[in-house]
Amino acid sequence: MPTSDSLSNTFAALADPTRRAILARLASGETSVTELCRPFEMSMPAISKHLKVLERAGLITRGREAQWRPCRIEAAPLRDVAGWVEQYRQFWEQSFDRLELHLQEIQAAGGEAADKKKGAKKHVRN
Amino acid sequence: MPTSDSLSNTFAALADPTRRAILARLASGETSVTELCRPFEMSMPAISKHLKVLERAGLITRGREAQWRPCRIEAAPLRDVAGWVEQYRQFWEQSFDRLELHLQEIQAAGGEAADKKKGAKKHVRN
DNA sequence: GCATTACTTAACCTAAAGGTTAAGTATATA
DNA sequence: TATATACTTAACCTTTAGGTTAAGTAATGC
């Protein structure tokens, strides 16, 4: 199944370093396709495909100005990524003990989460 | 070229909704592969492959306890994603005019003191 | 009208992603 | 030792990703 949910599309679009470089370039301003091609050893059709992927993910929009097709970054999907990853912030900001405490609090709050692990805390991180 | 940079690996791993669901499950605590399989209509080998992708991206680690292979979330790559996306925060938090000003400041900063705002706004967003 | 510039689309190729079933491996237990 | 449980690996299949070259389209300018 292609799973066309937008977060998957966004992550897939961001998984290519060429496309991230294009976004970085667009962060400093709208520009043409030919200009976007310049840094890469890649044919223009290849870049055109990358742009189509970025566009489908909503990460850029394309206009028309004479024979140029100026590309502009669109940040909404990036905001969604930031929102998604934010829910994991605790995992890299808190110490392990704080984290484990937090998880215990969550599970306690849940009432009776399926705690099928018998030995409880065998795997202590060094 | 496979481009094995870690950010690309991380984004690619996160581009699949099954894998994001697995991470979400692991956020509430370490668990077994069989347990991770339960919510999905998918064979265990398929889940096993997903876990391998997550492991290669550094998003999980796997232990051994008797015949179980407990999986644990690892947040470092998520922190990297948060760091990467952070550089685009301005694009969704500021108004267009504020943004354009900011970009002009950046470009001016390459040389001397920030000073004026040029006209140059042909592409005004609706 | 015709050439030039700036693209996009089509056709093709190879490799990788994501699923399957079947077979293999590690550990616990009767 | 044999059997069950919990996986992983192998072999295979189909679809998609990412690149190529060649041809098509849109606007400008002589």
Side-chain angles (χ1 to χ4, degrees), chain A residues 88-101:
Chain A
Y88 294 96
R89 171 174 295 280
Q90 46 179 333
F91 288 93
W92 69 82
E93 280 198 342
Q94 297 180 350
S95 75
F96 180 66
D97 286 342
R98 280 281 290 134
L99 171 59
E100 189 170 66
L101 177 61

Side-chain angles (χ1 to χ4, degrees), chain A:
Chain A
M1 265 151 275
T3 64
S4 64
D5 66 294
S6 67
L7 207 46
S8 294
N9 279 343
T10 303
F11 279 128
L14 297 178
D16 187 286
T18 300
R19 288 193 290 261
R20 291 198 307 278
I22 289 173
L23 283 183
R25 168 63 187 81
L26 292 179
S28 63
E30 194 170 317
T31 194
S32 72
V33 177
T34 300
E35 196 60 37
L36 288 173
C37 280
R38 198 190 310 281
F40 304 102
E41 292 181 343
M42 203 179 289
S43 67
M44 181 167 291
I47 298 294
S48 196
K49 279 190 181 182
H50 282 306
L51 293 175
K52 186 175 279 184
V53 171
L54 289 168
E55 190 178 29
R56 285 206 59 239
L59 284 160
I60 65 168
T61 49
R62 285 189 276 188
R64 164 71 84 176
E65 184 176 353
Q67 64 270 58
W68 294 275
R69 307 296 311 270
C71 297
R72 180 203 310 247
I73 193 173
E74 292 292 336
L78 294 173
R79 182 197 53 210
D80 294 344
V81 165
W84 181 86
V85 81
E86 189 61 28
Q87 77 187 122
Y88 294 96
R89 171 174 295 280
Q90 46 179 333
F91 288 93
W92 69 82
E93 280 198 342
Q94 297 180 350
S95 75
F96 180 66
D97 286 342
R98 280 281 290 134
L99 171 59
E100 189 170 66
L101 177 61
H102 176 81
L103 292 176
Q104 286 167 357
E105 286 166 358
I106 285 177
Q107 287 178 341
E112 65 293 299
D115 183 19
K116 69 167 293 184
K117 267 187 55 83
K118 41 270 158 79
K121 45 169 37 182
K122 318 261 271 301
H123 298 289
V124 179
R125 182 144 69 183
N126 330 351

Side-chain angles (χ1 to χ4, degrees), chain A residues 85 89 92, chain B residues 7 76-88:
Chain A
V85 81
R89 171 174 295 280
W92 69 82
Chain B
L7 207 46
L78 294 173
R79 182 196 53 210
D80 295 343
V81 165
W84 180 86
V85 81
E86 189 61 27
Q87 75 187 123
Y88 294 96

